[in-house]
Amino acid sequence: MAETISLSDLTAAPHAKLFDEPLVIRLSLDAGERVDPHRHPERTVVLHLLSGTVDLDLDDETHRLEPDDVIRFDGRREVSPEAVEDSEALLVLSQRVED
C-alpha cells in the first residue's frame, strides 16, 4: 500500500504529522520563532530543510541550515531549532537502534 500526502495540505503549525512510524513531521516556523529545547531519547532524527534558514542548536553546538541541507542526529541530544527566516522542514524520527 502506498500513501501520498501533499505538504501544502498540512496546516497544523508549527508541527503537522504526516506518518506514524517512522514518525514524519512537517515543521513550519516563522522568522524568529524557536522550538523550546527538548529531546527525543528513543529516536534517531533526520531533518531536511526545505526552505528558509534555521539555526539548529544541538547541545552546545549550533548548525546553520540552508535549503536542501539534511542533518541526522541522536535524539538523546538536546535540540532547539530557530528560524532565521520563514522556514519549512521535514523531520523523520525513527526508532533508535542501540550501538
Side-chain angles (χ1 to χ4, degrees), residues 51-90:
S51 64
T53 302
V54 168
D55 284 339
L56 183 71
D57 292 342
L58 290 174
D59 296 329
D60 59 352
E61 303 170 359
T62 299
H63 301 267
R64 170 71 49 108
L65 303 176
E66 302 289 340
D68 290 331
D69 285 348
V70 177
I71 187 168
R72 181 180 69 176
F73 57 93
D74 188 316
R76 293 175 288 192
R77 297 184 71 181
E78 186 175 80
V79 59
S80 178
E82 179 178 13
V84 176
E85 56 189 35
D86 292 353
S87 301
E88 184 173 62
L90 190 65

Side-chain angles (χ1 to χ4, degrees), residues 43-54:
R43 303 284 185 161
T44 295
V45 181
V46 174
L47 185 153
H48 176 198
L49 189 64
L50 302 172
S51 64
T53 302
V54 168

Side-chain angles (χ1 to χ4, degrees), residues 11 15 17 24 26 38 46 52 57 64 67 80 82 89 94-95:
T11 58
H15 302 90
K17 185 166 71 168
V24 181
R26 179 189 56 79
H38 63 287
V46 174
D57 292 342
R64 170 71 49 108
S80 178
E82 179 178 13
S94 64
Q95 292 293 322

Side-chain angles (χ1 to χ4, degrees), residues 21-35:
E21 193 56 47
L23 180 58
V24 181
I25 295 171
R26 179 189 56 79
L27 176 65
S28 179
L29 296 173
D30 294 331
E33 189 175 4
R34 173 183 288 279
V35 175

